[in-house]
Amino acid sequence: KAGYRFLFDPNAVAMQPVRARTTRGEVARRRRIVNGSLAGIFKMRSLLNPLNYPAYSFILFSHKILRRLTPLIVIIFILSSSIMALESRAFQLLLLAEIIGGMAFIASHLEVPVFSSLPHPFQRLASLWHYFCLGNWGTLRGLIDFLFGIRYTKWVSVNSEDELSRKNPSDQ
């Protein structure tokens, strides 16, 4: 907004943050990050005006807002598949795949030891699916918190997120 630009520096060094130790901590971390980024975008919503910031408003909308809407898009996808499954065998198979995918996520979230017996490539695929679902679950919770006016005002280290994820987010 102040007219500064981002520049690429090939010599810049970035540190990869430590991930949460548990799925509960990862959901809490994603929830807090999504909530904070949406609150920041809302506060600076004038940057979304394409007349004043043509390229930046598009990038901000597509990279930040649309990404945060992915869980809603997935829900719409499942609902539309359910409706179309009434008419089409192909959509019945798609809906079955979606149900199996949901059950696989729940099983992996509950740490059911089914996936350890899978061949290695399938374990990798199950791990990616779990991470996708876990990330979208945390994103959905952060989006709901944002819409209901819940804000996270305190930074929480990765090591203590597992403990705080059990508390009411409005207390943080």
Side-chain angles (χ1 to χ4, degrees):
K1 191 171 183 176
Y4 293 104
R5 298 180 304 135
F6 288 101
L7 297 176
F8 174 72
D9 182 356
N11 297 319
V13 177
M15 302 297 290
Q16 179 67 28
V18 178
R19 281 195 172 147
R21 289 178 279 193
T22 66
T23 55
R24 177 176 275 178
E26 184 65 24
V27 168
R29 185 181 74 81
R30 179 70 61 106
R31 184 178 185 178
R32 177 182 47 80
I33 290 169
V34 167
N35 180 282
S37 69
L38 289 173
I41 292 168
F42 184 75
K43 184 177 181 181
M44 300 297 291
R45 60 189 173 275
S46 63
L47 293 173
L48 291 169
N49 184 343
L51 299 175
N52 295 335
Y53 310 97
Y56 189 74
S57 64
F58 173 76
I59 293 168
L60 187 61
F61 181 77
S62 65
H63 288 65
K64 294 293 181 183
I65 295 177
L66 282 182
R67 232 174 78 212
R68 274 36 177 194
L69 297 178
T70 301
L72 299 179
I73 294 167
V74 169
I75 290 168
I76 291 168
F77 184 72
I78 292 169
L79 291 175
S80 63
S81 296
S82 300
I83 292 168
M84 291 187 279
L86 299 172
E87 302 290 327
S88 166
R89 184 80 168 142
F91 280 101
Q92 290 172 357
L93 293 173
L94 179 61
L95 182 61
L96 179 63
E98 292 167 0
I99 291 169
I100 290 170
M103 290 171 49
F105 168 67
I106 292 169
S108 64
H109 191 67
L110 297 174
E111 299 176 12
V112 175
V114 173
F115 300 106
S116 58
S117 62
L118 293 173
H120 181 69
F122 293 109
Q123 284 182 13
R124 177 84 174 128
L125 185 61
S127 175
L128 290 171
W129 177 249
H130 179 263
Y131 186 74
F132 171 79
C133 291
L134 190 68
N136 279 297
W137 176 243
T139 298
L140 180 63
R141 302 219 25 217
L143 177 61
I144 290 169
D145 287 348
F146 171 74
L147 292 174
F148 281 94
I150 298 170
R151 298 293 181 264
Y152 297 82
T153 57
K154 179 181 171 189
W155 179 83
V156 180
S157 72
V158 169
N159 294 331
S160 60
E161 281 194 329
D162 292 326
E163 177 185 323
L164 288 172
S165 66
R166 294 181 198 99
K167 295 180 182 178
N168 184 343
S170 61
D171 295 341
Q172 297 180 27

